[in-house]
Amino acid sequence: WNMEEEIALLEFLLKSLPHAGDGGFKDTVFEAAAAHLRAKFPVYKGAPKHTLACKSNASGWTWSDKHGCGITDDNDPRWLAQVQANCKVEKFKNTRWPHLQLMDQLSPGTEKGKYV
C-alpha cells in the first residue's frame, strides 16, 4: 500500500458510510472497494488489492495523532510481537498517522482513535 492507495480506500469508505450497518461495513462494501482500487490503480507494487486486504487493517492498538501508538517500553512483548508480524508498523511507534482525520470521520463515536 502506498499513500495514494490508502487515501483512495478511506475516501471510498467515507462515500460508502450510508451503506454501513450497526456492525460496520459489510463484505460487499469491501468487495466494491477492492474493485475500485484495482480499477483506479491498474499498475501497482506488490499483491493486487483484494477484499481481505481492504478489510483487515486493524492493529488493536490505541492511537493518538500526537504520540502515535504511544509505545514507551521498547521491550513490551506485545509490541515486539506486532513488529515481528509486520515490520512496517515500527515507524508508527511514536509518530503521527497521516490518516487519523479520515479515520475519525469513519468512526466518530466512542471508538475514536481505537483499533486503527
Side-chain angles (χ1 to χ4, degrees):
W1 290 87
N2 63 38
M3 183 72 70
E4 192 177 2
E5 293 167 335
E6 292 169 353
I7 291 170
L9 171 61
L10 293 172
E11 288 176 344
F12 181 90
L13 293 175
L14 278 172
K15 290 177 184 174
S16 301
L17 268 177
H19 305 290
D22 289 338
F25 293 110
K26 304 293 182 203
D27 285 344
T28 54
V29 172
F30 291 109
E31 290 166 7
H36 170 75
L37 290 172
R38 286 191 303 268
K40 185 173 178 85
F41 304 103
V43 176
Y44 53 86
K45 286 186 175 181
K49 304 306 181 254
H50 52 78
T51 304
L52 187 58
C54 294
K55 185 176 181 178
S56 63
N57 282 318
S59 68
W61 295 91
T62 58
W63 186 269
S64 105
D65 199 31
K66 184 176 180 181
H67 302 291
C69 290
I71 305 300
T72 56
D73 180 1
D74 287 339
N75 296 313
D76 179 330
R78 294 179 313 125
W79 176 249
L80 293 174
Q82 184 75 27
V83 171
Q84 185 176 5
N86 182 359
C87 63
K88 292 181 180 182
V89 301
E90 192 164 18
K91 65 183 175 184
F92 298 114
K93 179 179 173 185
N94 291 307
T95 58
R96 67 180 298 279
W97 186 40
H99 305 309
L100 185 63
Q101 290 181 346
L102 285 171
M103 286 301 296
D104 281 348
Q105 293 175 55
L106 285 169
S107 58
T110 57
E111 297 81 25
K112 180 178 179 183
K114 289 178 135 183
Y115 308 110
V116 291

